[in-house]
Amino acid sequence: MNIRPKVLVLVASLFVVLGAAELLVQTRVVLPSFVELERADAHIAMRRISYALDLALDRLALSATDWGNWADTYRFVQNHNHAYIDENVTKVALKQLNVNAMLVVDLDGNFVLASELDLKSDRPLDLDLASRKSLPANFPWRANLRSGQPARGFVQTNRGILMLAASPVLDGTGGGPARGMVMMGRLLSVAEIKRIGAQAQAQLSMSAQRSSRVAEQLVESDEVTHVYRSFDDVYGQPIMTLRVDVPRQITLRGRSAVTYASAYLTSAAVVALVFLVIILNRVILTPLARVTRHAVAIGAGKDLTTRLDSTSEDEIGVLAREFDRMVVRVAESRRELVDQSFQAGFAELARGVLHNLGNAMTPIGVRLTRLRDRLRTAPAENAAEALAELARDAADPARRADLEEFVRLACQELALTVKAAELDVAVMSRQAAIVQSSLSEQMRATRNGHVIESVRLPELVAQSLEIVPDSSRQRLVVATDDSLKKVGVVNVARTVLRLILQNLIINAADAVREAGMDKGVLHVGAEIVHEAHGDQLHLHCKDDGVGIAANNLERMFEKGFSTKSKATNYGIGLHWCANAIGALGGRLWATSEGPGRGASMHLMLPLGARETTSIAGAA
Amino acid sequence: MAEQIRTSVRVLVVDDETDIRDAYRQILLETEVSQDIAGFRELRARLFAKSAPPAAQVRSLAPGATFDPVFCEQAEAAVAAVREALAQERPFAVVFLDMRMPPGHDGVWAATKIREIDPAIEIVICTAYSDVDPCEIGALCRRRISFHIYKSRFIRTKCGKWPLRLAVNGVPSGA
């Protein structure tokens, strides 16, 4: 897996984890805290309702206290004077007091006064409590009659729940003893409940009385929190359950706030992720991928000429530049290695050939020397002279006899010479065959492929100049134009091309010298020629030297042809060059406008078609 | 001529190639001049005094001197031959050593061994290989080694003197 998707997955995973953590915090911490806040608010609302009820009872108790601690009431309990009732306990008074029932009870629990009124209709309520003669026997406040303690609470009546407050009947100065109690009651009607709810700023309602007592209970729906609370009557029994409805505004607000926050965080995370990815891509991933692609390409291919050329100052830039330097060093080492192996191969080849030829030629030399001596000392001439002298028949008999003997012996000697010469020739023939065989063997051994290297032509020209003798180099300015750079990288047998270029440069320097000039210019250019059977590299070198006569343009590539003296005849010869380039599938030719007008050498080499051919044919 | 005292120069030739040994043989072994041939030469000289080639042109060998060559194919056999010649009190005057004689030891090894057992012998190393440094071999064998490389050209090194004034037409080159 590439580092780019890895990093992207890692960063994305990090954001997802952070998002999940944020979601977890919201659902487990933030939102529950809103719910808790809302519940607390609901409880507070119910507490406000309780305070409002207490306040309503307080007002009743205040009225009861006011009427109880009044000398007229004190006397009325004792004398039952109806004038008190007629003057004081009127409908108007009840309305002003805002009570539905007013009861005056003596110390025995008997009602001395029982007045009731429906405040809306001004008609009697027919309240069961008021129609009684006395308090129920088990009524809890009976104990308060004599102790003079005030009391308040709820009582269930036939017309509903009655809020009831009692205060002792005193002499008007707060003194006693108490002669009974004044009880004020107000029905807890729907309107009253609404009023209490409004006073407590809560939506209050009375729900059906539950079977069991409910201290305080929360029931939550999606939009409303219901708080239930039971209230006891004066007997301590549950009498009513009030319900406060609190809209879940806090949760809704909280949820929407959290949603907004989440959306913002998500958007911010996405933007940050995108920015991070872009920056990572631009600063790290893309340069790293480029270095990696380059390293892989260098490792897989033969082209050591490409460079990263990074200008960045960060670590990746340093890495890229160091990699470039390493590739340069590898390329140089490789080139030196190829050159050395090429030269070593040449030297080894020459050594081997010379050794074999030397061994074969030695017997030939010896036999030739022997043959030469034999022929030189053979008495052929003397025999002819003797025969001529005998033919003239002028000699004295003794000399004639000697001559005849000499002719006989000379014939024997000549016969021996011919026989020995035949032997010598046979040996020489055999050795010549060995020479031939040795050469053929070497030819076969040299049919090895060239090393094809990726080359930039300006570098190739520079490398060729390195192996040109100083005398030639000093006489020539080698000018390379942009066409060499435009050609770019070509895959060629560099070692062979280098030797050919070396030869062409030396020849150009010689041509300059022969033209009588101290310094000349050699223009080197190149282009890629697109032909039907493939691309060709056209390399041309134009000098301003002595030029070439038209009749020499073809001959100059012939074996042994040279216009130069041996003292200046460096290089390996145009014949070799032509053969070598021919072995690579190319060709070499010359053009010149004539003597004194310089010359151009043209080299055409197919690219990629024949990468591994032999130079054997050129040797 | 028959009355002349003929001295024999003992020569050891060491080379692994048959053709090279044969070339040495051609040079060193003079065909015995028969009585008839000797008479023929005398007759020729008497009849054609002007045109007879001078004897020196034929052979520049010292009058009466001849070679007694012994041929070996390997370095080990050459060392054994030198040791045997010393035991028989018929030492070799000169040894011609090839440089490389596979599969056995090379000429330097043989020269070193021969020098150890015969300080007086002249050693000539003949090789067609140009990568052999004469001075290095001379240092190995202490002194008195001459060199001959291919093309029948004698190289007189500073390491030793040419061992014999061999009035021959050429010394074979080999390796």
Side-chain angles (χ1 to χ4, degrees):
Chain A
M1 190 176 183
N2 288 337
I3 199 164
R4 188 194 300 267
K6 269 185 188 172
V7 168
L8 295 184
V9 166
L10 198 65
V11 171
S13 303
L14 186 65
F15 275 82
V16 167
V17 168
L18 287 176
E22 198 262 348
L23 195 66
L24 200 67
V25 168
Q26 284 179 2
T27 53
R28 295 291 171 91
V29 179
V30 179
L31 282 178
S33 71
F34 282 114
V35 170
E36 286 301 318
L37 194 63
E38 197 172 61
R39 284 173 184 165
D41 189 51
H43 285 297
I44 287 170
M46 181 53 85
R47 245 192 324 270
R48 283 200 303 271
I49 294 297
S50 296
Y51 291 149
L53 277 174
D54 279 346
L55 200 60
L57 286 171
D58 281 348
R59 285 195 190 115
L60 283 175
L62 189 64
S63 298
T65 302
D66 185 34
W67 279 69
N69 188 21
W70 186 22
D72 286 359
T73 306
Y74 195 73
R75 280 190 297 273
F76 171 70
V77 173
Q78 194 171 39
N79 58 23
H80 301 283
N81 185 5
H82 274 272
Y84 171 80
I85 297 171
D86 296 337
E87 289 173 6
N88 298 311
V89 187
T90 62
K91 287 181 181 179
V92 175
L94 289 180
K95 278 189 178 181
Q96 284 177 342
L97 287 171
N98 192 24
V99 296
N100 295 104
M102 182 176 166
L103 304 170
V104 178
V105 186
D106 64 12
L107 291 175
D108 296 323
N110 298 317
F111 292 151
V112 184
L113 169 67
S115 180
E116 54 163 10
L117 183 69
D118 184 344
L119 295 178
K120 276 187 178 175
S121 61
D122 282 349
R123 296 168 69 107
L125 267 176
D126 294 331
L127 198 66
D128 56 356
L129 181 63
S131 61
R132 294 176 66 96
K133 297 289 184 188
S134 62
L135 288 174
N138 61 344
F139 199 78
W141 294 355
R142 278 181 173 274
N144 294 46
L145 290 173
R146 294 195 181 274
S147 66
Q149 291 295 318
R152 55 188 184 174
F154 302 101
V155 177
Q156 183 70 50
T157 68
N158 60 329
R159 300 303 298 267
I161 294 169
L162 185 72
M163 291 188 290
L164 194 65
S167 186
V169 177
L170 297 175
D171 61 2
T173 61
R179 289 179 177 173
M181 62 172 57
V182 173
M183 299 171 75
M184 298 283 184
R186 187 188 304 156
L187 282 172
L188 203 54
S189 64
V190 174
E192 184 64 19
I193 284 180
K194 267 190 180 175
R195 192 188 61 79
I196 290 172
Q199 194 177 2
Q201 295 180 350
Q203 195 174 347
L204 182 65
S205 60
M206 188 180 292
S207 67
Q209 173 53 37
R210 304 189 176 190
S211 57
S212 60
R213 182 182 291 116
V214 179
E216 200 161 305
Q217 187 183 16
L218 261 69
V219 177
E220 292 169 333
S221 66
D222 285 343
E223 295 177 350
V224 181
T225 300
H226 305 287
V227 187
Y228 295 91
R229 183 178 170 186
S230 296
F231 291 86
D232 293 346
D233 60 7
V234 293
Y235 297 98
Q237 296 300 316
I239 186 172
M240 66 174 176
T241 300
L242 293 182
R243 190 187 81 192
V244 175
D245 297 336
V246 182
R248 302 194 65 178
Q249 290 293 333
I250 293 175
T251 304
L252 287 175
R253 291 277 178 86
R255 188 168 287 145
S256 74
V258 165
T259 305
Y260 279 126
S262 297
Y264 169 76
L265 277 177
T266 305
S267 306
V270 168
V271 170
L273 182 65
V274 168
F275 267 101
L276 197 60
V277 167
I278 289 172
I279 290 169
L280 274 177
N281 253 327
R282 187 164 293 179
V283 176
I284 298 175
L285 297 177
T286 302
L288 196 60
R290 184 164 163 257
V291 172
T292 306
R293 277 198 307 275
H294 181 73
V296 169
I298 290 283
K302 296 176 181 175
D303 186 4
L304 295 179
T305 60
T306 53
R307 301 283 179 271
L308 285 165
D309 290 330
S310 173
T311 55
S312 172
E313 293 297 325
D314 58 17
E315 285 85 346
I316 295 177
V318 173
L319 176 68
R321 281 193 293 281
E322 285 302 312
F323 190 82
D324 277 352
R325 281 177 51 191
M326 188 189 74
V327 171
V328 167
R329 284 199 293 273
V330 169
E332 285 173 357
S333 304
R334 185 175 186 272
R335 181 170 59 78
E336 286 169 8
L337 194 65
V338 171
D339 286 346
Q340 284 171 5
S341 61
F342 184 69
Q343 287 155 7
F346 253 41
E348 188 60 36
L349 179 67
R351 245 197 320 272
V353 170
L354 289 174
H355 172 251
N356 291 339
L357 293 186
N359 275 357
M361 290 300 289
T362 295
I364 293 177
V366 171
R367 289 286 175 172
L368 269 176
T369 305
R370 298 283 293 188
L371 183 58
R372 186 191 65 204
D373 288 349
R374 282 199 183 93
L375 293 176
R376 193 170 60 193
T377 57
E381 197 177 329
N382 294 143
E385 286 178 23
L387 285 173
E389 198 173 334
L390 284 171
R392 286 199 298 274
D393 202 16
D396 63 82
R399 181 171 175 83
R400 187 179 179 82
D402 282 347
L403 285 171
E404 285 173 350
E405 178 62 14
F406 177 77
V407 168
R408 188 182 65 80
L409 290 173
C411 284
Q412 286 180 359
E413 180 72 12
L414 285 172
L416 287 172
T417 299
V418 169
K419 194 175 177 183
E422 283 177 352
L423 194 60
D424 289 339
V425 169
V427 169
M428 286 189 288
S429 297
R430 188 161 55 83
Q431 293 302 326
I434 290 172
V435 169
Q436 190 69 38
S437 165
S438 175
L439 284 175
S440 301
E441 187 66 29
Q442 292 301 330
M443 296 277 274
R444 275 198 298 278
T446 54
R447 288 200 179 94
N448 296 322
H450 293 298
V451 178
I452 301 297
E453 297 172 74
S454 298
V455 176
R456 291 182 191 277
L457 293 179
E459 293 170 10
L460 178 65
V461 172
Q463 290 170 22
S464 302
L465 269 173
E466 289 172 4
I467 52 172
V468 167
D470 288 342
S471 57
S472 297
R473 195 163 40 224
Q474 287 160 4
R475 197 174 285 277
L476 213 55
V477 174
V478 176
T480 56
D481 57 27
D482 283 345
S483 64
L484 291 182
K485 288 182 184 170
K486 284 181 185 168
V487 166
V489 179
V490 289
N491 294 323
V492 292
R494 184 184 60 82
T495 49
V496 179
L497 272 191
R498 185 181 180 218
L499 284 177
I500 292 172
L501 269 178
Q502 174 211 25
N503 210 55
L504 297 185
I505 293 169
I506 290 169
N507 284 351
D510 290 342
V512 168
R513 192 190 63 249
E514 286 169 26
M517 299 159 60
D518 288 335
K519 198 99 177 178
V521 180
L522 180 68
H523 291 279
V524 183
E527 60 265 338
I528 301 292
V529 180
H530 302 288
E531 295 188 353
H533 51 276
D535 289 350
Q536 305 245 348
L537 171 66
H538 180 205
L539 190 67
H540 38 87
C541 311
K542 178 173 173 50
D543 65 52
D544 52 357
V546 69
I548 306 169
N551 57 341
N552 283 340
L553 281 177
E554 295 291 333
R555 287 189 58 212
M556 60 191 297
F557 298 104
E558 291 175 2
K559 188 175 184 180
F561 180 86
S562 177
T563 59
K564 294 183 283 190
S565 69
K566 282 190 176 177
T568 60
N569 200 357
Y570 297 107
I572 42 185
L574 281 176
H575 177 69
W576 180 88
C577 290
N579 280 338
I581 204 71
L584 294 173
R587 61 195 177 96
L588 186 65
W589 74 96
T591 57
S592 174
E593 295 179 7
R597 306 184 69 174
S600 291
M601 299 300 295
H602 298 267
L603 186 153
M604 191 74 93
L605 182 68
L607 293 173
R610 300 176 60 185
E611 288 192 341
T612 54
T613 50
S614 171
I615 198 172
Chain B
M1 297 288 280
E3 289 77 19
Q4 281 184 331
I5 300 167
R6 297 180 70 87
T7 55
S8 178
V9 180
R10 300 242 313 148
V11 176
L12 179 60
V13 174
V14 191
D15 201 300
D16 60 329
E17 296 216 18
T18 307
D19 291 332
I20 301 295
R21 291 199 303 276
D22 187 50
Y24 274 108
R25 195 173 285 113
Q26 289 287 319
I27 296 166
L28 296 176
L29 283 181
E30 185 187 16
T31 308
E32 282 295 319
V33 180
S34 67
Q35 194 63 33
D36 286 346
I37 295 298
F40 170 69
R41 285 181 178 171
E42 189 184 352
L43 183 61
R44 185 181 184 186
R46 185 154 51 79
L47 290 173
F48 308 103
K50 290 178 184 174
S51 59
Q57 284 185 318
V58 179
R59 287 281 175 200
S60 57
L61 192 60
T66 186
F67 294 115
D68 178 12
V70 172
F71 297 92
C72 293
E73 294 182 25
Q74 292 290 312
E76 292 86 344
V79 175
V82 170
R83 188 174 287 117
E84 187 181 343
L86 284 174
Q88 292 174 355
E89 296 183 347
R90 296 178 62 222
F92 291 107
V94 60
V95 54
F96 292 95
L97 273 174
D98 186 11
M99 192 64 198
R100 294 175 187 174
M101 295 171 284
H105 291 291
D106 62 9
V108 176
W109 180 87
T112 308
K113 292 288 180 190
I114 288 171
R115 175 61 69 224
E116 285 174 6
I117 58 179
D118 188 352
I121 195 169
E122 300 289 351
I123 300 173
V124 183
I125 291 180
C126 308
T127 180
Y129 282 102
S130 56
D131 58 343
V132 181
D133 186 350
C135 291
E136 280 184 17
I137 299 172
L140 280 172
C141 306
R142 293 180 193 156
R143 61 191 186 92
R144 300 181 77 176
I145 291 177
S146 294
F147 248 82
H148 174 221
I149 61 170
Y150 66 92
K151 287 189 178 176
S152 300
R153 214 170 81 190
F154 287 93
I155 303 295
R156 293 201 53 182
T157 71
K158 293 177 182 174
C159 308
K161 294 176 181 177
W162 181 236
L164 281 181
R165 296 190 178 195
L166 295 173
V168 295
N169 297 318
V171 170
S173 65

